[in-house]
Amino acid sequence: QRKNPFSNDDRLASKPVHTHRGDPTYGRPLEGSQTEQRGKDAHSHVGKEVEELCLIIRSTGEVGEDGHVSVTFGQLFETYVTISNKVVGILLRARKHGLVHFEGEMLWQGKDDDVIITLL
């Protein structure tokens, strides 16, 4: 529509045609758009789920000799799955932010039930 001479939509004409990797807006929605707001809302929601997961670990886990609270994945899965079915994804996000530690790339129900998850 940007190249269409019969289009009256000013929003399309004012947008840059292409952004490049060096551009700070590359891969980001337009400022003030509904897409940007949905992204912010999703980020906030996931942050709350990570906080809730950490609280569950703290309440169900046991304090070790190093002072950190730990719980097995199996125990955490059984407790948290009643709250959310995204326990593994939320654990990965929490690890990315340095809030928990566990061995391995991914955790699988049954196979990794004995993996220790430590709250940092």
Side-chain angles (χ1 to χ4, degrees):
Q1 287 295 325
R2 282 187 199 96
K3 295 179 182 180
N4 184 346
F6 303 106
S7 176
N8 294 354
D9 197 344
D10 292 333
R11 292 178 307 137
L12 295 173
S14 65
K15 281 178 64 175
V17 176
H18 295 287
T19 56
H20 302 283
R21 283 187 179 237
D23 188 345
T25 61
Y26 179 77
R28 300 201 179 261
L30 288 176
E31 247 182 83
S33 68
Q34 288 182 345
T35 302
E36 181 189 41
Q37 187 58 47
R38 283 190 294 269
K40 287 179 180 179
D41 292 345
H43 184 75
S44 173
H45 179 75
V46 170
K48 289 176 187 171
E49 284 203 40
V50 168
E51 285 179 36
E52 187 174 11
L53 177 73
C54 291
L55 290 173
I56 297 294
I57 293 172
R58 181 164 297 162
S59 67
T60 59
E62 297 178 8
V63 179
E65 293 176 9
D66 58 358
H68 292 293
V69 178
S70 297
V71 65
T72 63
F73 174 65
Q75 183 182 359
L76 179 64
F77 188 90
E78 289 302 317
T79 304
Y80 195 78
V81 78
T82 60
I83 299 166
S84 173
N85 61 350
K86 300 179 288 267
V87 64
V88 175
I90 299 300
L91 267 172
L92 292 172
R93 179 64 62 102
R95 178 168 68 177
K96 179 180 176 182
H97 289 286
L99 300 173
V100 298
H101 172 75
F102 57 88
E103 295 295 323
E105 292 283 321
M106 180 66 112
L107 295 173
W108 303 97
Q109 183 185 14
K111 177 184 160 216
D112 294 320
D113 283 351
D114 295 329
V115 172
I116 303 293
I117 298 167
T118 305
L119 187 61
L120 301 176

